[in-house]
PDB file of all heavy atoms in Angstrom:
ATOM      1  N   VAL B 193       6.527  64.779  35.895  1.00 91.00           N
ATOM      2  CA  VAL B 193       7.551  65.273  34.973  1.00 91.00           C
ATOM      3  C   VAL B 193       7.486  66.794  34.899  1.00 91.00           C
ATOM      4  O   VAL B 193       8.499  67.480  34.971  1.00 91.00           O
ATOM      5  CB  VAL B 193       7.373  64.631  33.575  1.00 91.00           C
ATOM      6  CG1 VAL B 193       8.265  65.313  32.547  1.00 91.00           C
ATOM      7  CG2 VAL B 193       7.693  63.140  33.659  1.00 91.00           C
ATOM      8  N   LYS B 194       6.283  67.319  34.794  1.00 89.00           N
ATOM      9  CA  LYS B 194       6.101  68.771  34.772  1.00 89.00           C
ATOM     10  C   LYS B 194       6.682  69.419  36.020  1.00 89.00           C
ATOM     11  O   LYS B 194       7.352  70.446  35.963  1.00 89.00           O
ATOM     12  CB  LYS B 194       4.601  69.101  34.725  1.00 89.00           C
ATOM     13  CG  LYS B 194       4.133  69.501  33.363  1.00 89.00           C
ATOM     14  CD  LYS B 194       2.815  70.256  33.464  1.00 89.00           C
ATOM     15  CE  LYS B 194       2.460  70.831  32.117  1.00 89.00           C
ATOM     16  NZ  LYS B 194       1.023  70.783  31.877  1.00 89.00           N
ATOM     17  N   LYS B 195       6.387  68.815  37.149  1.00 87.00           N
ATOM     18  CA  LYS B 195       6.858  69.371  38.420  1.00 87.00           C
ATOM     19  C   LYS B 195       8.388  69.357  38.479  1.00 87.00           C
ATOM     20  O   LYS B 195       9.007  70.352  38.855  1.00 87.00           O
ATOM     21  CB  LYS B 195       6.268  68.553  39.573  1.00 87.00           C
ATOM     22  CG  LYS B 195       6.636  69.083  40.943  1.00 87.00           C
ATOM     23  CD  LYS B 195       5.788  68.417  42.025  1.00 87.00           C
ATOM     24  CE  LYS B 195       6.237  68.851  43.403  1.00 87.00           C
ATOM     25  NZ  LYS B 195       5.342  68.344  44.467  1.00 87.00           N
ATOM     26  N   VAL B 196       8.970  68.251  38.099  1.00 86.00           N
ATOM     27  CA  VAL B 196      10.435  68.149  38.130  1.00 86.00           C
ATOM     28  C   VAL B 196      11.056  69.207  37.238  1.00 86.00           C
ATOM     29  O   VAL B 196      12.019  69.887  37.623  1.00 86.00           O
ATOM     30  CB  VAL B 196      10.897  66.740  37.681  1.00 86.00           C
ATOM     31  CG1 VAL B 196      12.415  66.699  37.564  1.00 86.00           C
ATOM     32  CG2 VAL B 196      10.417  65.685  38.657  1.00 86.00           C
ATOM     33  N   MET B 197      10.494  69.380  36.055  1.00 87.00           N
ATOM     34  CA  MET B 197      11.060  70.356  35.126  1.00 87.00           C
ATOM     35  C   MET B 197      10.946  71.771  35.694  1.00 87.00           C
ATOM     36  O   MET B 197      11.857  72.585  35.539  1.00 87.00           O
ATOM     37  CB  MET B 197      10.354  70.282  33.761  1.00 87.00           C
ATOM     38  CG  MET B 197      10.473  68.941  33.057  1.00 87.00           C
ATOM     39  SD  MET B 197      12.164  68.338  32.869  1.00 87.00           S
ATOM     40  CE  MET B 197      12.794  69.502  31.691  1.00 87.00           C
ATOM     41  N   ALA B 198       9.837  72.050  36.355  1.00 85.00           N
ATOM     42  CA  ALA B 198       9.645  73.374  36.942  1.00 85.00           C
ATOM     43  C   ALA B 198      10.627  73.604  38.087  1.00 85.00           C
ATOM     44  O   ALA B 198      11.254  74.652  38.191  1.00 85.00           O
ATOM     45  CB  ALA B 198       8.205  73.520  37.440  1.00 85.00           C
ATOM     46  N   VAL B 199      10.781  72.602  38.930  1.00 82.00           N
ATOM     47  CA  VAL B 199      11.702  72.746  40.061  1.00 82.00           C
ATOM     48  C   VAL B 199      13.139  72.882  39.564  1.00 82.00           C
ATOM     49  O   VAL B 199      13.883  73.749  40.008  1.00 82.00           O
ATOM     50  CB  VAL B 199      11.578  71.547  41.025  1.00 82.00           C
ATOM     51  CG1 VAL B 199      12.680  71.586  42.073  1.00 82.00           C
ATOM     52  CG2 VAL B 199      10.214  71.537  41.695  1.00 82.00           C
ATOM     53  N   ALA B 200      13.502  72.046  38.609  1.00 81.00           N
ATOM     54  CA  ALA B 200      14.876  72.062  38.110  1.00 81.00           C
ATOM     55  C   ALA B 200      15.197  73.386  37.432  1.00 81.00           C
ATOM     56  O   ALA B 200      16.350  73.795  37.371  1.00 81.00           O
ATOM     57  CB  ALA B 200      15.105  70.895  37.154  1.00 81.00           C
ATOM     58  N   ALA B 201      14.179  74.066  36.919  1.00 80.00           N
ATOM     59  CA  ALA B 201      14.416  75.366  36.292  1.00 80.00           C
ATOM     60  C   ALA B 201      14.561  76.459  37.343  1.00 80.00           C
ATOM     61  O   ALA B 201      15.204  77.474  37.122  1.00 80.00           O
ATOM     62  CB  ALA B 201      13.277  75.700  35.343  1.00 80.00           C
ATOM     63  N   ASN B 202      13.970  76.258  38.514  1.00 78.00           N
ATOM     64  CA  ASN B 202      13.980  77.290  39.551  1.00 78.00           C
ATOM     65  C   ASN B 202      15.004  77.061  40.653  1.00 78.00           C
ATOM     66  O   ASN B 202      15.370  77.978  41.367  1.00 78.00           O
ATOM     67  CB  ASN B 202      12.595  77.409  40.189  1.00 78.00           C
ATOM     68  CG  ASN B 202      11.629  78.106  39.257  1.00 78.00           C
ATOM     69  OD1 ASN B 202      11.706  79.312  39.077  1.00 78.00           O
ATOM     70  ND2 ASN B 202      10.760  77.340  38.610  1.00 78.00           N
ATOM     71  N   ILE B 203      15.408  75.824  40.836  1.00 75.00           N
ATOM     72  CA  ILE B 203      16.424  75.506  41.848  1.00 75.00           C
ATOM     73  C   ILE B 203      17.599  74.869  41.115  1.00 75.00           C
ATOM     74  O   ILE B 203      17.619  73.664  40.887  1.00 75.00           O
ATOM     75  CB  ILE B 203      15.871  74.533  42.922  1.00 75.00           C
ATOM     76  CG1 ILE B 203      14.617  75.118  43.579  1.00 75.00           C
ATOM     77  CG2 ILE B 203      16.931  74.236  43.973  1.00 75.00           C
ATOM     78  CD1 ILE B 203      14.039  74.253  44.693  1.00 75.00           C
ATOM     79  N   PRO B 204      18.571  75.694  40.726  1.00 73.00           N
ATOM     80  CA  PRO B 204      19.642  75.137  39.888  1.00 73.00           C
ATOM     81  C   PRO B 204      20.528  74.122  40.604  1.00 73.00           C
ATOM     82  O   PRO B 204      21.266  73.395  39.952  1.00 73.00           O
ATOM     83  CB  PRO B 204      20.430  76.378  39.447  1.00 73.00           C
ATOM     84  CG  PRO B 204      20.044  77.457  40.405  1.00 73.00           C
ATOM     85  CD  PRO B 204      18.692  77.143  40.917  1.00 73.00           C
ATOM     86  N   GLN B 205      20.443  74.069  41.949  1.00 71.00           N
ATOM     87  CA  GLN B 205      21.237  73.051  42.670  1.00 71.00           C
ATOM     88  C   GLN B 205      20.741  71.637  42.383  1.00 71.00           C
ATOM     89  O   GLN B 205      21.406  70.656  42.699  1.00 71.00           O
ATOM     90  CB  GLN B 205      21.130  73.246  44.190  1.00 71.00           C
ATOM     91  CG  GLN B 205      21.707  74.516  44.721  1.00 71.00           C
ATOM     92  CD  GLN B 205      20.624  75.553  44.930  1.00 71.00           C
ATOM     93  OE1 GLN B 205      19.699  75.684  44.124  1.00 71.00           O
ATOM     94  NE2 GLN B 205      20.725  76.316  46.004  1.00 71.00           N
ATOM     95  N   MET B 206      19.566  71.552  41.854  1.00 74.00           N
ATOM     96  CA  MET B 206      18.885  70.275  41.654  1.00 74.00           C
ATOM     97  C   MET B 206      19.720  69.290  40.832  1.00 74.00           C
ATOM     98  O   MET B 206      20.087  69.562  39.707  1.00 74.00           O
ATOM     99  CB  MET B 206      17.577  70.620  40.938  1.00 74.00           C
ATOM    100  CG  MET B 206      16.881  69.490  40.316  1.00 74.00           C
ATOM    101  SD  MET B 206      15.745  68.761  41.472  1.00 74.00           S
ATOM    102  CE  MET B 206      15.312  67.328  40.510  1.00 74.00           C
ATOM    103  N   THR B 207      20.048  68.163  41.421  1.00 76.00           N
ATOM    104  CA  THR B 207      20.811  67.155  40.681  1.00 76.00           C
ATOM    105  C   THR B 207      20.152  65.789  40.672  1.00 76.00           C
ATOM    106  O   THR B 207      20.499  64.954  39.858  1.00 76.00           O
ATOM    107  CB  THR B 207      22.217  66.926  41.291  1.00 76.00           C
ATOM    108  OG1 THR B 207      22.128  67.103  42.696  1.00 76.00           O
ATOM    109  CG2 THR B 207      23.252  67.831  40.721  1.00 76.00           C
TER     110      THR B 207
END
Side-chain angles (χ1 to χ4, degrees):
Chain B
V193 170
K194 258 199 172 143
K195 183 168 175 174
V196 173
M197 299 307 291
V199 171
N202 286 286
I203 304 182
Q205 295 98 320
M206 165 90 189
T207 33

